Amino acid sequence: MVHDIEKSTPLKEHHQLVWYVKWASSICIVFAMIATTNNLYPYNMILQFAGCLGWLWVSIMWNDRSLIVVNAVACAIFINGFVMYFKEAGQ
């Protein structure tokens, strides 16, 4: 029995830039996790911020409110982390 399942995310053919940003951001977050487990601070935070920022843009393009909220909050948290890191580095 074959079931036709309709995808809810846009196809690559229709939204090429969104597709590339989505995958680049996902790969960036995977590398950020690797950097975190290897205690590569602040590079892990930079990679996580880049990945979340990419996903924030994708979620805005998709008009997906739950992803917008999660990634906007994550970006704000990382910006706070950058401020604290550079504040301590300057002392």
Side-chain angles (χ1 to χ4, degrees), residues 6-26:
E6 189 174 322
K7 294 175 80 175
S8 61
T9 58
L11 298 174
K12 177 184 175 187
E13 294 79 26
H14 298 119
H15 302 279
Q16 239 179 0
L17 181 60
V18 172
W19 189 87
Y20 284 112
V21 171
K22 173 184 75 170
W23 280 103
S25 299
S26 296

Side-chain angles (χ1 to χ4, degrees), residues 54-65:
W55 266 106
L56 177 61
W57 182 79
V58 169
S59 62
I60 291 169
M61 301 308 311
W62 286 352
N63 196 29
D64 188 326
R65 291 185 200 124

Side-chain angles (χ1 to χ4, degrees), residues 14-80:
H14 298 119
H15 302 279
Q16 239 179 0
L17 181 60
V18 172
W19 189 87
Y20 284 112
V21 171
K22 173 184 75 170
W23 280 103
S25 299
S26 296
I27 291 167
C28 196
I29 290 173
V30 169
F31 280 116
M33 288 187 266
I34 293 168
T36 299
T37 59
N38 289 293
N39 201 26
L40 297 175
Y41 186 79
Y43 303 110
N44 62 334
M45 216 168 48
I46 294 167
L47 288 169
Q48 289 175 54
F49 177 71
C52 286
L53 194 62
W55 266 106
L56 177 61
W57 182 79
V58 169
S59 62
I60 291 169
M61 301 308 311
W62 286 352
N63 196 29
D64 188 326
R65 291 185 200 124
S66 63
L67 287 176
I68 291 170
V69 169
V70 167
N71 288 294
V73 169
C75 286
I77 291 169
F78 289 124
I79 289 170
N80 181 61

Side-chain angles (χ1 to χ4, degrees), residues 83-91:
V83 168
M84 297 306 294
Y85 175 77
F86 290 114
K87 183 179 172 184
E88 290 178 13
Q91 292 180 352

